């Protein structure tokens, strides 16, 4: 793909495109032999981006990130800095979802170790809410109420921030 950049820089877009297509085919072969090689997914993402195949580029960049989480900042810079805005927005949502998933996993582990720790249940309720798992978020907020009635305002705040039917259910059931 370096050759493609030289061609592009020297005003030879057709030769640049041909070089990119050749590089794309080579990387597709490399990936078929080693699908877990994050660096190959990043390289082909760059090639796809240069070919303006943004959807493929985005998918490859995300795959590289899942294979090698330490690439997150590089990939964030690549997507946010060089892709059309809708991909930057998708990436931010993807990052948020990853954070909520991480929080959910950590909170579930902590609740398993100490089921009476109200803070763990609050964190778990918020993670569930962020992931759109509203029923689980509601159940965790109810657990918070049962563990420590002094935290009623906090639990109610969580429930109020769920879809309206959960607040109605809470008012009906209490």
């Amino acid at each position: 793909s370096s050759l493609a950049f030289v061609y592009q820089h020297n005003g030879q877009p057709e030769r640049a495109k041909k070089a990119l297509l050749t590089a794309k085919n080579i990387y597709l072969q490399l990936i078929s032999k080693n699908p877990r090689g994050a660096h190959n997914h990043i390289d082909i993402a760059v090639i796809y981006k240069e070919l303006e195949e943004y959807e493929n580029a985005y998918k490859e960049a995300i795959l590289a990130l899942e294979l090698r989480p330490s690439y997150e900042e590089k990939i964030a810079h690549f997507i946010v800095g060089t892709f059309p805005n809708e991909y930057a927005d998708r990436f931010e949502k993807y990052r948020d979802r990853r954070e909520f998933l991480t929080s959910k996993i950590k909170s579930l582990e902590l609740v398993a170790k100490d089921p009476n720790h109200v803070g763990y249940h609050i964190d778990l309720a918020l993670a569930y809410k962020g992931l759109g798992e509203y029923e689980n978020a509601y159940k965790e907020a109810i657990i918070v109420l049962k563990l420590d009635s002094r935290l009623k305002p906090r639990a109610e705040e969580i429930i109020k921030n769920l879809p309206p039917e959960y607040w109605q259910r809470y008012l009906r059931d209490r």
Side-chain angles (χ1 to χ4, degrees):
S1 66
S2 298
L3 186 57
F5 295 115
V6 170
Y7 286 140
Q8 189 68 33
H9 181 72
N10 289 323
Q12 299 175 338
E14 288 306 312
R15 289 183 87 179
K17 185 172 183 175
K18 186 176 179 182
L20 285 169
L21 291 171
T22 299
K24 173 182 154 182
N25 289 330
I26 291 168
Y27 274 99
L28 287 172
Q29 289 175 8
L30 288 170
I31 289 169
S32 73
K33 292 177 183 173
N34 181 16
R36 300 202 47 80
H39 56 284
N40 290 333
H41 291 285
I42 290 208
D43 290 343
I44 201 166
V46 171
I47 292 166
Y48 279 133
K49 189 209 58 101
E50 290 303 315
L51 290 168
E52 296 182 357
E53 295 181 26
Y54 293 107
E55 188 63 28
N56 288 333
Y58 180 81
K59 288 177 182 176
E60 290 294 335
I62 294 300
L63 186 52
L65 175 58
E66 289 173 357
L67 291 169
R68 179 92 36 99
S70 63
Y71 285 3
E72 183 166 356
E73 287 311 309
K74 289 179 186 176
I75 291 171
H77 179 72
F78 173 58
I79 293 173
V80 173
T82 65
F83 279 50
N85 286 341
E86 70 252 27
Y87 291 95
D89 294 343
R90 270 176 64 188
F91 184 68
E92 289 307 317
K93 288 177 185 170
Y94 170 82
R95 283 176 106 177
D96 290 346
R97 182 162 175 75
R98 277 186 65 201
E99 286 180 29
F100 285 124
L101 282 170
T102 301
S103 178
K104 173 185 168 181
I105 291 165
K106 186 183 294 184
S107 296
L108 283 168
E109 289 171 354
L110 292 169
V111 164
K113 288 179 184 175
D114 187 356
N116 294 318
H117 192 292
V118 72
Y120 299 158
H121 289 281
I122 290 172
D123 291 344
L124 185 53
L126 294 172
Y128 281 138
K129 179 187 171 295
L131 292 168
E133 296 180 28
Y134 302 127
E135 183 64 27
N136 288 332
Y138 178 80
K139 288 176 181 176
E140 289 300 318
I142 297 302
I143 290 170
V144 169
L145 285 168
K146 290 177 181 176
L147 288 175
D148 190 342
S149 62
R150 296 171 299 171
L151 292 174
K152 181 179 179 181
R154 182 70 176 117
E156 287 183 344
E157 177 187 337
I158 292 169
I159 297 169
K160 283 180 184 175
N161 284 302
L162 298 174
E165 60 268 21
Y166 289 95
W167 181 248
Q168 294 163 0
R169 177 173 153 193
Y170 169 71
L171 293 175
R172 184 185 67 240
D173 294 347
R174 63 180 178 161

